[in-house]
Amino acid sequence: MKLRVLGCAGAEFPNFRPSAFLIDDSLMLDGGTIGSVLSEEEQWAIKYIFVTHAHLDHIRDIPLLADNIVIKKLCNNVKIAGIKEVLEAISSHLLNNVIWPDFSKIPTTESPIITYWQIEPEKEIQIDGYSITAIRVDHSVPAVGYLVRRNGKSILYTGDTGPTDRIWEWADDLSALIVEVSFPNEMEEMALLTRHLTSSLLAEELKKIKKLPPHILVTHPKPQYYAKIAAELRELGIAQIELLKDGAVYDF
C-alpha cells in the first residue's frame, strides 16, 4: 500500500495542514486536506473517504471536493464512510444547505456527488481488495480508528484519541501504526481534558501492544509545539517512531 500524507497537523499554520491520508490514490482516511494538495485528476480519483470523527480539521475539505467535482460536471461519486454519529454530524451540520450545499442530493438524488456509507464498529468490510475495520477510540466526540489491510500489509490509524484500550487489541502484526500526539508532556492535563495524547502518554499506550510495528508514524502535533514534541518522542528511545510531515510518502 502506498500512503501519502496530505496533512498531519493538529492545527493549521503555514506548512502545517489538517489531517488527511491518501492510500493508493483512491481511498482516504479523513478529509481535512484535499484541494490544496491534490491536482484535479488526483481529486477525481478519490472513491472513498473514511472519516474518524466529525471535528472540522478532519472533514473540512470534503465539501470543497464535492464542489470541485460538480463544477467540472463529472459523474464521480465519493462515498463518505463512518459510524452513525459521524455521518449524522456531517449531514446535519456541514452538508445541510446552510453551511454548504447538500451534495448527497446534487446533481440529483439518484446520482449524487456524495453518498453516505454507515459502517459498524468492529465489522470488517471489503472494498476494492481492501479489508477495513473501524474500532472505537476515546475522544471528546464519537470517534473510531481504522485498520486497513491489503495484500498481507496492514495500517492502523487511530485518528484522534486519548488513552484508550480496545483499538490496541487489533494492533497485531501491523506494517505501520499512525497514532496521534497532540501536545507536549507539560500539557498533559490539557491532553487528558480534550482526550489527546502526549509523548509520555503514547509510551504508556504502546505498552498495550504485544509487538510494536516497524513503523510508528506520529500525527496531529500542534504546530506551535512541533519541535518540543519531536524532541520528547526522540527521548522515548523507540527507534521506529517518526514524527510525520506533510507531503511524506510511504510504501508498505
Side-chain angles (χ1 to χ4, degrees), residues 71-200:
I71 287 174
K72 195 71 173 182
K73 296 184 178 180
L74 297 176
C75 295
N76 288 35
N77 175 264
V78 180
K79 289 180 171 58
I80 308 302
I83 58 175
K84 179 181 179 181
E85 300 95 323
V86 171
L87 299 186
E88 287 180 346
I90 294 172
S91 62
S92 297
H93 303 296
L94 186 62
L95 300 178
N96 61 356
N97 286 325
V98 177
I99 301 301
W100 205 252
D102 181 0
F103 279 98
S104 69
K105 298 181 174 64
I106 297 173
T108 68
T109 54
E110 293 77 19
S111 299
I113 299 297
I114 295 293
T115 299
Y116 294 115
W117 182 10
Q118 182 178 320
I119 56 179
E120 299 297 325
E122 302 192 18
K123 290 188 177 180
E124 184 179 83
I125 59 174
Q126 304 285 336
I127 54 164
D128 296 352
Y130 298 93
S131 167
I132 302 176
T133 307
I135 308 106
R136 287 196 183 272
V137 295
D138 187 5
H139 192 38
S140 57
V141 295
V144 295
Y146 288 103
L147 176 61
V148 183
R149 299 186 180 108
R150 188 182 191 192
N151 296 332
K153 303 295 184 179
S154 58
I155 298 172
L156 180 63
Y157 171 47
T158 67
D160 289 6
T161 187
T164 192
D165 290 307
R166 183 60 177 162
I167 197 168
W168 305 126
E169 298 179 25
W170 294 75
D172 291 339
D173 297 320
L174 297 175
S175 305
L177 167 65
I178 307 172
V179 59
E180 77 123 272
V181 170
S182 294
F183 294 102
N185 291 332
E186 66 190 35
M187 297 182 70
E188 181 174 309
E189 183 177 354
M190 175 64 74
L192 292 173
L193 177 66
T194 57
R195 292 184 170 86
H196 287 288
L197 295 177
T198 65
S199 297
S200 293

Side-chain angles (χ1 to χ4, degrees), residues 43-82:
Q43 291 181 54
W44 312 154
I46 295 170
K47 297 170 64 176
Y48 311 97
I49 303 177
F50 285 80
V51 181
T52 58
H53 65 291
H55 279 160
L56 185 61
D57 59 326
H58 293 253
I59 64 173
R60 185 192 65 178
D61 270 13
I62 294 173
L64 304 177
L65 171 65
D67 192 57
N68 288 344
I69 292 172
V70 77
I71 287 174
K72 195 71 173 182
K73 296 184 178 180
L74 297 176
C75 295
N76 288 35
N77 175 264
V78 180
K79 289 180 171 58
I80 308 302

